[in-house]
Amino acid sequence: MPLDVASAILQRRAIKVFDPDHRMTDAELDTLLGLARRMPTAFNIQNWRFVAVTDPELRTKIRAVAWDQAQVTDSSVLLVLCADIKAWEKSTTRYWENASTEVQQFMTGAIDQYYRGREQVQRDEGMRSCGMAAAAIMLQAESMGYGTCPMDGFDFDAVGKLINLPTDYEIVMFVAVGKCAKAPHPTGGILPTNEIIFRNTF
Ligand SMILES: Cc1cc2nc3c(=O)[nH]c(=O)nc-3n(C[C@H](O)[C@H](O)[C@H](O)COP(=O)(O)O)c2cc1C
């Protein structure tokens, strides 16, 4: 029985201990990332870039700049979710190649108007896109029998150097994916509903 969405959400936990000997197949990785990239992005700019780090030597170096967190080396794959902050100005018609010429022209203008000169918005868009991709990765991995750990406990500049992060790109976060080798502690705590959810206005 495949896992339904609600079960995947409730079952997902941040996994700290992975089986270091487990290997994920290329087909599984393709499934995971192929589905992640079907999440939405504003104006369909698909500004996410995913780096699947499997090289043990590289992972050891990344772990050294990630508070020595074992998930970095012991998960089956370390996904580094990055954003191309300037995706909005790079050949934008290819984001709308299936649309009519009129729609392509309209979208190109709209994209330019929305992002040009708005550096914070450009960066925020990368965070939004990768946040959604991370959620999809974690839930899909759960349904494939994998555990995950979302991570931002690392030196972003140092990791950027290690993965040859191109100019214009930012690292958003890691998602470590692997076979859970130790059940996590009980959930830290869930805030009361009235602190989180509001009707109409605050
Ligand atoms: C953006 C983000 C960054 C995180 N960074 C780390 C990290 O560096 N190391 C770690 O062990 N857990 C990290 N976590 C896991 C959180 O501590 C964990 O998700 C939270 O305590 C809720 O627990 P749960 O995911 O098991 O429900 C991170 C989670 C998120 C969403």
Side-chain angles (χ1 to χ4, degrees):
M1 263 285 272
L3 214 49
D4 66 281
V5 177
S7 301
I9 290 172
L10 292 172
Q11 193 175 293
R12 184 216 58 80
R13 294 294 315 284
I15 300 305
K16 311 293 166 112
V17 185
F18 290 101
D19 172 1
D21 298 323
H22 180 270
R23 298 280 171 274
M24 179 184 273
T25 65
D26 285 347
E28 286 175 311
L29 186 58
D30 288 349
T31 299
L32 197 55
L33 296 181
L35 288 167
R37 54 184 304 215
R38 300 304 294 271
M39 293 298 277
T41 54
F43 299 106
N44 199 34
I45 61 173
Q46 301 161 68
N47 49 344
W48 42 43
R49 303 289 179 265
F50 307 134
V51 183
V53 185
T54 50
D55 175 28
E57 214 173 296
L58 178 56
R59 295 220 282 176
T60 301
K61 288 182 187 160
I62 295 175
R63 177 170 168 170
V65 293
W67 305 348
D68 195 33
Q69 296 191 79
Q71 303 96 307
V72 172
T73 49
D74 295 355
S75 53
S76 306
V77 63
L78 180 72
L79 300 174
V80 184
L81 274 51
C82 308
D84 179 354
I85 305 300
K86 298 294 178 189
W88 64 273
E89 62 176 359
K90 294 175 182 163
S91 314
T92 48
T93 48
R94 73 195 206 284
Y95 308 139
W96 290 93
E97 64 177 8
N98 297 333
S100 65
T101 311
E102 292 75 46
V103 171
Q104 281 181 6
Q105 280 170 355
F106 174 81
M107 293 309 295
T108 299
I111 290 170
D112 193 85
Q113 202 175 14
Y114 192 81
Y115 294 106
R116 188 168 297 281
R118 301 174 78 200
E119 273 67 27
Q120 178 74 47
V121 176
Q122 296 167 20
R123 194 171 185 281
D124 288 350
E125 209 66 271
M127 305 299 142
R128 275 188 280 273
S129 297
C130 286
M132 278 186 277
I137 288 167
M138 291 188 287
L139 298 183
Q140 175 60 25
E142 200 69 43
S143 86
M144 292 165 70
Y146 282 103
T148 57
C149 190
M151 303 176 73
D152 64 6
F154 56 87
D155 179 332
F156 282 63
D157 291 334
V159 174
K161 288 195 182 88
L162 287 169
I163 63 166
N164 298 330
L165 189 74
T167 321
D168 296 345
Y169 285 35
E170 293 270 0
I171 295 176
V172 176
M173 62 189 291
F174 294 168
V175 181
V177 185
K179 281 289 169 194
C180 175
K182 184 167 174 261
H185 297 298
T187 303
I190 305 290
L191 290 175
T193 302
N194 64 6
E195 203 178 315
I196 305 286
I197 299 170
F198 300 86
R199 286 287 174 103
N200 300 314
T201 58
F202 277 97

